[in-house]
């Protein structure tokens, strides 16, 4: 893990942002993230049936060619549910970025995040884009500019060695509400100077996303704008990675580490959240079962509220597992809160409530459900449900 | 609709309850609901894979014989996730009730509600059951005794005429948290003096439950204890109702009216709720689509929080629909909040926010999503998400 890593940590990546006036706060809200060289580009997008205009545009472009040069993005307005004018606006946004960078619009991807159902203020986008200055240390500025209700930027980078060459992966994400990713998180930008064979890039990204962002939930609502981009420009000079080799496998592990770090940061910064919850499901009959059960626990409003109250109300955890599609045997399930086993054989262990409660006092709480049926496992991340979540989402239009 | 109706409104039904000490509050918490004559009995139960012991027992008894005489019930303890001792306790509870009523234990059904994962205090059950006095106007006392976090009892009754005979249906329910029924609501007891052919009874109950209790959500968590019982003793003297006849259809309509009334009462009393939300989905390609979309909207944390803040944030409604399995065309969907159309052709109508907000000021708010794809429709009920929900579910073990 690189100290002070960002989405521009890999060679040849630059970023920049300006305050265009889209966010009411006046904070930076419009930016670009670009590679000096063209990239193999793959992405995962929301499965919401009302995808935002930038999702439709970016998805279509990558379907034709897995190649891109840059992503232009804004926060403060999702450009979602705006009918066909939304698509025109997304397209114009890409054309303005292409003009600024001196490349073809087809090589530009677009990402927007913010309120749904309001037209993008194109006058602000038109005056803002030419003002963006790209720089190799612009990753931090970009990470600030993609924030909406996030309280802090989310970035990280790693380096690994491939055939004697240092390869880097740098990334940033945003998203702390309407977070229940289904293919990708709200917005994620991952840039690497590795050289990736396109099919391997797609497989590696899907693998990482499925085990990280897709195992994160804040409030059970999948956004209309989820987009996770992986751009690989090959500037490390390391040989092309193709699926199946040991070095490709090392890249997959590193990519998953980056995504895990960012997924945890998103869950920890969930709207109103005071605690990060990590749930491990072990002993499942299948990996699909383990994933479903882990997601059900981190997604349960009642588990989340109990976590907030530091209440070791383990019946709610089993009830949540019982609401997933996972196969269970009610006489075999066991549960640990932190290091304390609170249930075995489907019933309570009789451990004192105070002893279990003490395990929930930290800002990071772990639970493990063992289903006692097989050897499959999965891990998911979520957060507590607090009064602040309700205030944040009822008092303001976000 | 009968004035002051209850679960003992139909001829031959009696109920009673005592304060056995299971609830910490000292309120009534143990009761029986019985018919003078044996009944055709059908039920729907939770689909949670960790069903409570009383669910397992009652389900098994009805699987063998669709016949019952009474239901013994308690609140304050769910008798769920207690391993095999839970089942022993449920069985003993039915035996104690059978003894008190002078009938065979196999004719007794059992229902429990309350905290999960704690053993039922059988000493209190043993001393409590013999103290229960049944009476024909005991329905109200029973409705109070099944309450947990409910703030008010939920009862109703209707009468209809079949071949010159008055037939009545009387019912009570409880449940305002862990409410996201999947086959039935938390607890529902429906007694009728109609004479029902068993298969027709099962079909009529499933039809009513699917369109009422199963279209209600408070917090997206399906309970371990959901049970909906329909007991028909035939004491009205009206002829046996068999599926397919016009009079049977009238009974189905009346049964659905009872269940609708109670489903609305449950959603309106949702934990912490200040507003009832009714969502109609029209123009869907199929009924399954309409149901999925309507449930997704009433179940969305973000829609619920916006409702609390009286914020006509309609993008959240479309995003919720987009997260259901329903087929949508993003250029055709329309949305009304109350009588104001806020979206058409998948985009905003430009109506002023204040005008739309005014439609959300009442304690009951309606929304209609028209998908513009077909003629199927469905209705669902939910409530707002408030700070009080979080407080209630984090500060206490419920």
């Amino acid at each position: 893990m690189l100290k002070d890593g960002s989405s521009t940590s890999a060679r040849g990546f630059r970023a920049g942002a300006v305050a265009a006036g889209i966010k009411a706060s006046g904070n930076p809200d419009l930016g670009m993230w670009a590679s000096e060289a063209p990239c193999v580009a793959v992405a995962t997008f929301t499965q919401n049936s009302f995808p935002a205009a930038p999702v439709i545009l970016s998805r279509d472009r990558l379907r034709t060619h897995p190649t891109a040069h840059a992503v232009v993005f804004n926060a403060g307005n999702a450009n979602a549910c705006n009918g066909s004018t939304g698509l025109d606006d997304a397209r114009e946004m890409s054309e303005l970025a292409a003009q600024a960078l001196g490349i073809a619009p087809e090589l530009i991807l677009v990402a927007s995040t913010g309120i749904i159902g309001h037209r993008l203020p194109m006058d602000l986008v038109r005056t803002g884009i030419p003002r963006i200055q790209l720089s190799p240390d612009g990753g931090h500025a970009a990470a600030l500019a993609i924030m909406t209700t996030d309280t802090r930027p989310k970035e990280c980078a790693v380096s690994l060695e491939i055939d004697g060459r240092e390869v880097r992966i740098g990334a940033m994400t945003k998203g702390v509400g309407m977070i229940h990713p289904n293919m990708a998180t709200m917005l994620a930008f991952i840039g690497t100077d590795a050289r990736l064979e396109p099919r391997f890039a797609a497989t590696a990204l899907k693998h990482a996303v499925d085990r990280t962002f897709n195992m994160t939930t804040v409030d059970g609502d999948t956004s209309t704008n989820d987009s996770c981009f992986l751009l690989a420009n090959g500037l490390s000079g390391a040989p092309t990675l193709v699926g199946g080799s040991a070095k490709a496998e090392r890249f997959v592990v590193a990519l998953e580490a980056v995504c895990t770090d960012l997924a945890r940061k998103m869950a920890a910064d969930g709207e109103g959240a005071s605690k990060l919850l990590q749930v491990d499901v072990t002993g499942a009959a299948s990996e699909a079962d383990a994933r479903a059960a882990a997601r059900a626990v981190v997604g349960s409003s009642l588990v989340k509220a109990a976590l907030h109250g530091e209440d070791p109300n383990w019946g709610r955890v089993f009830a949540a597992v019982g609401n997933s599609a996972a196969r269970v045997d009610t006489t075999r399930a066991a549960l640990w809160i932190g290091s304390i086993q609170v249930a075995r054989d489907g019933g309570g262990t009789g451990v004192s409530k105070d002893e279990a409660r003490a395990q929930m006092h930290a800002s990071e709480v772990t639970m493990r459900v063992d289903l006692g049926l097989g050897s499959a496992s999965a891990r998911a991340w979520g957060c507590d449900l607090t009064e602040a979540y309700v205030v944040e989402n009822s008092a303001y239009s976000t």
Side-chain angles (χ1 to χ4, degrees), chain A:
Chain A
M1 199 69 64
L2 294 171
K3 192 166 173 289
D4 209 28
S6 80
S7 63
T8 52
S9 289
R11 284 169 205 78
F13 282 91
R14 296 172 302 152
V18 295
I22 304 169
K23 284 181 183 167
S25 63
N27 287 335
D29 51 16
L30 182 68
M32 290 195 287
W33 176 70
S35 165
E36 284 169 15
C39 296
V40 165
V42 292
T44 59
F45 295 104
T46 181
Q47 294 300 296
N48 191 303
S49 318
F50 280 98
V55 168
I56 296 172
L57 184 77
S58 301
R59 201 170 52 187
D60 284 355
R61 288 193 171 159
L62 291 177
R63 204 175 277 154
T64 326
H65 297 293
T67 312
H69 224 297
V71 184
V72 58
F73 56 83
N74 75 278
N77 185 308
N79 192 10
C81 300
N82 284 323
S84 60
T85 56
L87 207 55
D88 294 341
D89 291 344
R91 199 173 290 116
E92 185 184 346
M93 198 165 150
S94 75
E95 285 158 3
L96 292 164
Q99 220 167 343
L101 295 170
I103 54 177
E106 290 69 32
L107 294 174
I108 307 284
L109 303 170
V110 185
S112 297
T113 176
I115 191 162
I116 299 173
H118 290 239
R119 266 200 74 180
L120 203 57
M122 285 308 293
D123 48 337
L124 302 177
V125 173
R126 284 184 204 111
T127 55
I129 287 179
R131 291 197 289 119
I132 301 169
Q133 302 285 331
L134 298 182
S135 78
D137 56 2
H140 299 317
L144 286 166
I146 56 169
M147 287 166 53
T148 50
T149 52
D150 306 62
T151 67
R152 42 190 186 266
K154 294 161 190 74
E155 308 169 85
C156 85
V158 298
S159 91
L160 65 157
E161 208 186 280
I162 290 182
D163 285 0
R165 299 276 184 163
E166 187 202 20
V167 164
R168 290 187 187 168
I169 308 173
M172 64 177 175
T173 56
K174 68 82 54 184
V176 293
M178 207 178 260
I179 290 291
H180 184 70
N182 187 6
M183 283 316 277
T185 182
M186 192 75 178
L187 292 184
F189 301 68
I190 309 170
T192 180
D193 46 25
R195 192 187 305 275
L196 305 180
E197 184 272 323
R199 262 177 318 174
F200 166 65
T203 309
L205 182 63
K206 185 172 184 329
H207 174 88
V209 166
D210 276 350
R211 295 165 61 95
T212 58
F213 300 131
N214 279 358
M215 295 304 286
T216 311
T217 192
V218 168
D219 51 13
D221 275 299
T222 299
S223 146
T224 50
N225 290 58
D226 290 349
S227 303
C228 176
F229 301 105
L230 169 62
L231 267 61
N233 63 18
L235 293 181
S236 66
T240 305
L241 297 177
V242 180
S245 70
K247 51 191 134 183
E249 192 47 44
R250 286 220 310 287
F251 180 86
V252 167
V253 169
L255 181 63
E256 186 178 332
V258 165
C259 295
T260 298
D261 180 79
L262 294 170
R264 286 172 56 94
K265 284 174 176 162
M266 289 170 54
D269 194 25
E271 285 180 340
S274 68
K275 286 174 188 293
L276 170 70
L277 174 63
Q278 176 175 299
V279 172
D280 284 297
V281 171
T282 57
S286 71
E287 199 188 318
D289 277 8
R291 289 167 54 84
R295 278 178 68 126
V297 174
V298 294
S300 158
S301 289
L302 286 167
V303 171
K304 288 157 64 68
L307 175 64
H308 182 48
E310 300 183 0
D311 175 8
N313 194 334
W314 60 267
R316 291 183 181 174
V317 178
F318 278 0
V321 171
N323 287 329
S324 75
R327 205 183 116 206
V328 304
D329 177 332
T330 59
T331 65
R332 289 202 203 177
L335 174 67
W336 286 258
I337 297 178
S339 59
I340 301 290
Q341 183 167 16
V342 295
R344 76 162 60 89
D345 304 332
T349 54
V351 67
S352 88
K353 190 168 169 176
D354 285 346
E355 200 179 339
R357 178 187 291 270
Q359 299 287 316
M360 304 177 78
H361 193 57
S363 63
E364 191 174 324
V365 175
T366 61
M367 295 185 187
R368 178 161 77 89
V369 181
D370 190 282
L371 295 175
L373 292 172
S375 57
S377 65
R379 174 171 288 179
W381 296 275
C383 59
D384 54 343
L385 174 63
T386 69
E387 296 91 327
Y389 176 88
V390 178
V391 171
E392 186 158 345
N393 283 295
S394 60
Y396 319 106
S397 279
T398 53

